[in-house]
Amino acid sequence: MVFKKLRQAIGIGGPSIETVLHNPNTTPGGVITGEITIIGGQYNSDIKAVNLALRTRVEVESGDNEYTTNLEYAKLPVAGGFTLQEGARHAIPFQMPIPWEAPLTHMYGQPLRGTTVGVATELEVAGALDPGDLDPIAVHPLPAQERILTAFSNLGFQFRNADCEKGRIWGVHQELPFYQEIEFYPPGQYARGIKQLEVTFVAYPQSMEVVLELDKRGGVFTEGRDAFSRFTVDYASVEHTNWEQQLDGFLQDAGRRRGFF
């Protein structure tokens, strides 16, 4: 599968960029490969830098306000410091690593509503910076993440939404300044105490942290509140665990500690 895009970069008559991804599908910790071609415009151009950048949409809380913004969280320098002649073509192959903590864009083989990840080709020409358009890539779950998500589906949880929030989870090591929350509606056996479940993966090369946030239903005279559960999943042994049973135990324990059930 090839993803290709040609766009004018810096001003009328300036250079343009053609970015080709060999395959836009990847996983956390994976690599995307492709080729960037810079096409000279109507005059010679001094190319100062060519970078690839990963961006995603995140929610930011600031005081009493909340807003969304595009956050750049990985950058790869691919070229720079050369003169591009009028009408010339300069091809640059690339390999860009995907961070282990990259948010997922797909789940159960379908696009994950609420999350986008894109790669932008940034071009700096003689002091002018073109930040580039966002070309989407598809980040699919790791096998361990797929197994946990399948277990929630088997328990009856239904996907609601997903988003990324700027910030850090207490007690969890993060390289990126944000985390993804995948939200589910609970099935009947949990619905009397839980309004929704939020699942966060923080992946590393050999294992991952899974954080569960249970949003309690509020009563007529009481406010809802949250309970948390956190556990580590080792990739090497993930297939040797009954995750449906394990997750049910985590949810029941967290709910009982907070009086949800």
Side-chain angles (χ1 to χ4, degrees):
M1 182 185 296
V2 173
F3 181 86
K4 184 175 181 179
K5 188 168 186 179
L6 174 66
R7 63 181 180 80
Q8 197 75 17
I10 303 289
I12 297 174
S16 57
I17 296 176
E18 185 178 69
T19 301
V20 175
L21 298 179
H22 296 150
N23 189 338
N25 296 284
T26 187
T27 61
V31 174
I32 55 172
T33 64
E35 186 173 88
I36 300 166
T37 301
I38 307 175
I39 304 166
Q42 299 173 9
Y43 45 83
N44 295 349
S45 302
D46 292 327
I47 307 299
K48 301 298 183 183
V50 182
N51 302 308
L52 288 174
L54 287 177
R55 299 178 192 157
T56 197
R57 199 81 174 156
V58 301
E59 293 186 0
V60 182
E61 291 187 6
S62 178
D64 295 331
N65 299 319
E66 185 175 291
Y67 62 93
T68 59
T69 185
N70 280 323
L71 179 67
E72 183 175 289
Y73 59 92
K75 181 175 283 191
L76 176 70
V78 293
F82 66 93
T83 298
L84 183 67
Q85 301 296 319
E86 174 186 346
R89 298 174 68 92
H90 184 78
I92 310 165
F94 66 84
Q95 291 186 337
M96 185 170 194
I98 304 299
W100 285 97
E101 297 173 31
L104 305 179
T105 65
H106 285 66
M107 184 176 73
Y108 308 140
Q110 301 295 323
L112 195 59
R113 184 177 64 253
T115 302
T116 59
V117 174
V119 60
T121 309
E122 300 176 347
L123 179 65
E124 184 179 350
V125 179
L129 176 65
D130 173 34
D133 297 329
L134 199 63
D135 301 327
I137 62 173
V139 183
H140 298 270
L142 295 165
Q145 293 171 328
E146 188 78 52
R147 178 65 186 94
I148 299 297
L149 292 169
T150 298
F152 277 117
S153 178
N154 291 340
L155 287 171
F157 285 87
Q158 295 184 353
F159 173 71
R160 178 180 180 270
N161 193 36
D163 59 28
C164 294
E165 298 191 10
K166 188 175 182 181
R168 298 188 179 274
I169 303 170
W170 185 86
V172 176
H173 174 73
Q174 291 175 241
E175 296 291 337
L176 300 184
F178 69 94
Y179 56 91
Q180 182 182 37
E181 290 185 334
I182 303 174
E183 302 173 359
F184 294 91
Y185 291 115
Q189 65 267 35
Y190 305 102
R192 60 187 175 87
I194 302 174
K195 182 169 65 175
Q196 72 178 22
L197 170 71
E198 297 173 351
V199 180
T200 295
F201 297 116
V202 182
Y204 314 117
Q206 305 300 326
S207 65
M208 67 180 179
E209 295 294 306
V210 183
V211 180
L212 309 180
E213 181 177 348
L214 289 67
D215 187 358
K216 183 184 185 301
R217 288 190 179 278
V220 177
F221 302 107
T222 60
E223 293 184 359
R225 59 185 187 277
D226 298 336
F228 297 85
S229 181
R230 171 187 154 201
F231 57 93
T232 303
V233 177
D234 180 63
Y235 300 151
S237 59
V238 67
E239 292 300 330
H240 305 298
T241 300
N242 183 332
W243 283 106
E244 288 77 8
Q245 184 180 67
Q246 197 87 337
L247 291 173
D248 177 70
F250 288 140
L251 293 173
Q252 296 289 350
D253 288 346
R256 280 192 294 267
R257 286 198 307 269
R258 294 298 182 93
F260 287 14
F261 305 123

